[in-house]
């Protein structure tokens, strides 16, 4: 779907709130903090900015952010987990302003982490940036996944295929899906006004995933570490515009 400029303007506002949630929650990450406390920090931002949560109540999800430490790939539920020195943790945040959605995630290290873990985080962010650079009118959607996959696999990591990015607008998850790999076909042609959430999930080990008994938490089957970065991006006449950035 192609969004009008006034719709993109609302998504820009939602994106600013999401960026602030990421800033505040990642600023709150330290040894000893619980993931429930990080969720509370994000709720305070939503309240302060007059935004609604798109995560809370989504198929019954009980929080406004996802917190995914270490071998958790995505959809970790904030709760009693105590963040430890040497962890990595993905923070995935979303907000709705005037009916329009934003969605973004970062992965941060807690204190010192080994060089390979640092590389995992850096490569996943680079893979996201490479994907974003493909969001240009006239390209095909799956140029994004090809770019993400090339960066991640080129660094010796694996790309999760069971979970993907998505178009976004008046719903958080709209069609089409945005795979982080080349799915074998080029996909739709990109046009100005299309908006996507691109979100590579990259593992140190294998790409296989399993959902825990809580019905949400997605972990790596081999227990290896996983990183996740996400932005909401509009295709514009001037190239890709990342909407989930501070105002
Ligand atoms: Mg997200
Ligand atoms: Mg998303």
């Amino acid at each position: 779907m192609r969004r009008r400029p006034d719709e993109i303007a609302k998504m820009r506002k939602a994106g600013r709130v999401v960026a602030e949630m990421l800033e505040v929650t990642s600023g709150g990450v330290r040894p000893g903090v619980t993931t429930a406390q990080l969720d509370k920090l994000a709720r305070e931002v939503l309240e302060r900015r007059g935004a609604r949560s798109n995560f809370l109540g989504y198929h019954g999800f009980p929080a406004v952010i996802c917190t995914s430490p270490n071998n958790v790939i995505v959809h970790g539920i904030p709760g009693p987990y105590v963040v430890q020195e040497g962890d990595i943790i993905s923070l995935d945040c979303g907000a709705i302003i005037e009916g329009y959605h934003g969605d973004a995630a970062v992965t941060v290290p807690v204190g010192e982490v080994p060089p390979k873990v640092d590389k995992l985080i850096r490569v996943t962010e680079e893979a996201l940036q490479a994907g974003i650079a493909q969001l240009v009118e006239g390209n095909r959607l799956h140029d994004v996944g090809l770019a993400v996959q090339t960066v991640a696999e080129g660094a010796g990591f694996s790309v999760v295929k069971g979970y993907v990015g998505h178009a976004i607008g008046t719903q958080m998850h709209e069609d089409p899906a945005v795979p982080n790999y080349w799915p074998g076909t080029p996909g739709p042609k990109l046009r100005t006004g299309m908006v996507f959430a691109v979100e590579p999930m990259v593992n140190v080990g294998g790409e296989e995933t399993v959902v825990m008994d809580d019905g949400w938490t997605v972990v790596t089957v081999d227990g290896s570490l996983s990183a996740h970065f996400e932005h909401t991006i509009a295709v514009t006449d001037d190239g890709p515009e990342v909407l989930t950035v501070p105002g």
Side-chain angles (χ1 to χ4, degrees):
M1 180 178 290
R2 302 177 71 180
R3 300 287 171 188
R4 299 182 310 268
D6 62 296
E7 294 180 288
I8 303 277
K10 288 173 186 167
M11 296 189 74
R12 209 175 273 126
K13 285 189 199 171
R16 277 186 203 133
V17 175
V18 174
E20 188 176 346
M21 292 168 80
L22 287 174
E23 201 172 281
V24 167
T25 54
S26 57
V29 169
R30 53 180 166 71
V33 76
T34 66
T35 50
Q37 286 173 299
L38 299 174
D39 183 68
K40 183 162 181 287
L41 292 174
R43 285 177 196 249
E44 288 164 4
V45 173
L46 287 168
E47 202 164 310
R48 190 158 67 235
R49 297 300 172 200
R52 289 202 301 120
S53 175
N54 39 12
F55 287 26
L56 185 66
Y58 182 85
H59 297 285
F61 192 77
V64 304
I65 65 173
C66 298
T67 50
S68 304
N70 301 326
N71 63 318
V72 181
I73 300 169
V74 283
H75 303 165
I77 304 172
Y81 180 77
V82 178
V83 173
Q84 309 286 327
E85 170 84 22
D87 279 356
I88 63 171
I89 185 163
S90 140
L91 306 162
D92 193 346
C93 297
I96 310 171
I97 290 274
E98 297 172 57
Y100 288 83
H101 291 242
D103 185 12
V106 296
T107 298
V108 294
V110 186
E112 287 287 308
V113 296
K116 180 153 190 186
V117 179
D118 204 59
K119 182 183 171 191
L120 172 72
I121 293 174
R122 190 166 34 81
V123 165
T124 307
E125 187 166 22
E126 282 169 14
L128 170 59
Q129 293 301 334
I132 290 171
Q134 295 299 320
L135 288 172
V136 173
E137 180 155 73
N139 275 4
R140 306 293 288 256
L141 179 61
H142 297 161
D143 292 336
V144 172
L146 180 60
V148 167
Q149 182 174 29
T150 300
V151 170
E153 292 183 354
F157 298 127
S158 70
V159 161
V160 172
K161 300 194 175 67
Y163 297 86
V164 295
H166 47 94
I168 180 168
T170 52
Q171 307 279 336
M172 178 160 58
H173 295 139
E174 298 184 350
D175 287 334
V178 183
N180 296 301
Y181 57 93
W182 177 255
T185 58
K189 198 171 250 193
L190 297 175
R191 308 292 306 275
T192 286
M194 291 179 168
V195 186
F196 300 100
V198 179
E199 51 179 314
M201 290 145 260
V202 177
N203 300 348
V204 168
E207 67 179 63
E208 296 79 15
T209 66
V210 66
V211 180
M212 308 257 290
D213 286 344
D214 62 19
W216 283 103
T217 309
V218 181
V219 300
T220 55
V221 166
D222 60 12
S224 72
L225 295 177
S226 183
H228 176 217
F229 279 83
E230 178 178 26
H231 270 305
T232 297
I233 309 107
V235 179
T236 80
D237 290 336
D238 302 318
E241 179 187 349
V242 178
L243 302 176
T244 37
V245 289

